[in-house]
Amino acid sequence: MLTTKKTNSKKTRQIKETFFLYLFLSSVVIGILALAVLLIDVLIDGLPYLNWDFLTKYASRKPLNSGILAPLAGTVWVVLLTAIFTVPVGIATAIYLEEFAKKGRFIRLIELNISNLAGVPSVIYGLLGLAVFVQFLFDGSRNLISGALTLTLLILPIVIIASQEAIKAVPSSFKDAGYAMGATRWQVVKKVVLPQAIPGMMSGIILALSRAIGEAAPILMISSLVWVTFVPTTPNSKFTVLPLQIYTWVSQPQEDFRSIAAAGIIVLLVILLIMNSIAVKIRNKYQQRSEQ
Amino acid sequence: MFLKINDCINNQIKWLILSFAILSIGLFAACGSDDDDSVAAPSDEKLSGTIEIDGSSTVFPVTVAVAEEFRVSNPEVQIPIGMSGSGGGFKRFVVGETDISNASRFIKLAEVEKANSNGIELMELNVAWDGLSVVVSKSNDFVDCLTTEELKSIWDEGSTLDNWSQVREGFPDKPLRLYGPGTDSGTFDYFTDEINGEEKRSRADYTASEDDNTLVQGVSGDPGALGYFGYAYYIENKESLKIVSVDSGSGCVEPSETTIEDGTYSPLSRKLLIYVKISSLQKPEVKAFLEFYMDHGGELANEVGYVALSDAEYSAQKAMISNPVNYVHPSK
């Protein structure tokens, strides 16, 4: 009696095992298939149009004469400016919250709000940026700085949270050793915490910046330009970015513009891929070093 | 308790506020240093500077084509163009952000007053004809022509028609699905005004999109669909769409270059417009651009799928550019 029950339960356990194996496997396959279909579709549509001319020419009404130079340059500008604004503020906030602030109700409230801000839809930040930066700060000038500041607001919560995680990962024994030597909090932060945490922060920051690159909605509110035939020269220039250009091309009447849009998507994907692999590289390097 | 928290805020946030203040000072300094140098000194030969344009997505292809050709001989002139819709474009125009506003409807009295109160004088130029096109799917074999009354019964506010058999006796029992532009569109304003008798008066339970290609795809894939949008989008998608003639009492008329230009495709043929800030005409690049627009706008409008005005109309308007008169709204 007892033995039959045992074999039964072993059988059912095995059945369950295989069932869940295939359930989970099929979930993975669904995700990968969707990605593969998307990539193949974009590559088939876009690759024939992707050449050096496409990267160095401006937008045109004729699909075959169209290029992506202005939005490409705009994207690079915006990302660099966003990084300049985000990195110091984001890291400083994380250091304050983790190392300096007394953990209390107020700090918990701030942290809760930061996590909430990370979930606010990006178009809301676009409206905020339009009102605060474009109309109030720059008197109606839709320049690169307002675009970058808006994206800064968008990714700042993500950067803060990622930096906090990186700081938390520094073993407290390291810090305690520093304090035992009589170091001040700032000395510990500078000599112990930051060198350990910066690689982790960097990969978080790069991932956040690649999110900023893909955003069309807030930039549509800020720039509202979709046909630009110049490369921005100062942070005060008007600009457009890749997702916005792709969005415009898709909405044009001529069929060929959809293939041009696909070529634009490939450019965007390549940039994102490069940035993400840099993030992965930094993380791997960091892991190796801490294992040593 | 609250006092305690406040103390804590005061001590710890003081530094935060201070560092933010330093950051923002740095920021202002950074922006102050590169002022907008878009208004370049006028030179005899080469034009430079910036012409800022925003507005209707329907007029967008025409203005882009003109800007592109203009820049062939004037590569130093920067012409950034936006596509915020007629209403969205006017919002920027009346506060002086843009030099030229594309529009697929006439400017409203309130918008003119707002511009004038901001010290902006404006002039209106016609750039091309558009025949607002009513379309069904290629696989629809029973609709060739609809009267304006039938269109109104379909699209009017409060209409609950959801089957073709309700539109006209003899139409098959097929579900009717509607596609049209969103409410920020000049096309929507024009269609509702002409068909339903009042701007923006429309039923709301239809698939609305500011992106006309979404409408094209929706209609072409759905045998029970009915939609409307600018003529250029029909011309570019002829193989998947079927055009519906419109009968406004004197027989069915199909939109074509001829019927749109001579006005027999009524009431859905309309003029595409641009509005110009008169003070911008003092910038030589803006004046040159507009004269170029009047010289070549017709052929370029044809190229992108619209219908050119008569040559006489273009040259009359070109003369107006040199002697601009502040626009007065017809209702005044």
Side-chain angles (χ1 to χ4, degrees), chain A residues 60 96 142 238 250 252, chain B residues 12 52 68 92 97 213:
Chain A
S60 161
Y96 175 80
R142 292 157 185 266
K238 298 180 174 71
V250 171
Q252 290 303 297
Chain B
Q12 299 185 319
E52 184 130 8
E68 191 178 353
R92 295 187 62 196
E97 272 189 41
N213 277 327

Side-chain angles (χ1 to χ4, degrees), chain A residues 128-195:
Chain A
L128 181 76
L130 184 63
V132 175
F133 301 130
V134 171
Q135 265 144 24
F136 178 69
L137 211 54
F138 294 107
D139 199 24
S141 164
R142 292 157 185 266
N143 52 19
L144 277 161
I145 298 183
S146 4
L149 284 174
T150 307
L151 290 181
T152 300
L153 290 186
L154 178 74
I155 64 168
L156 203 51
I158 311 172
V159 170
I160 293 172
I161 292 168
S163 305
Q164 274 183 293
E165 293 304 320
I167 292 173
K168 274 182 198 154
V170 178
S172 60
S173 56
F174 287 25
K175 289 188 265 181
D176 292 342
Y179 288 126
M181 306 283 284
T184 61
R185 274 192 296 197
W186 170 240
Q187 281 174 319
V188 168
V189 165
K190 194 177 149 195
K191 303 268 180 178
V192 178
V193 175
L194 278 183

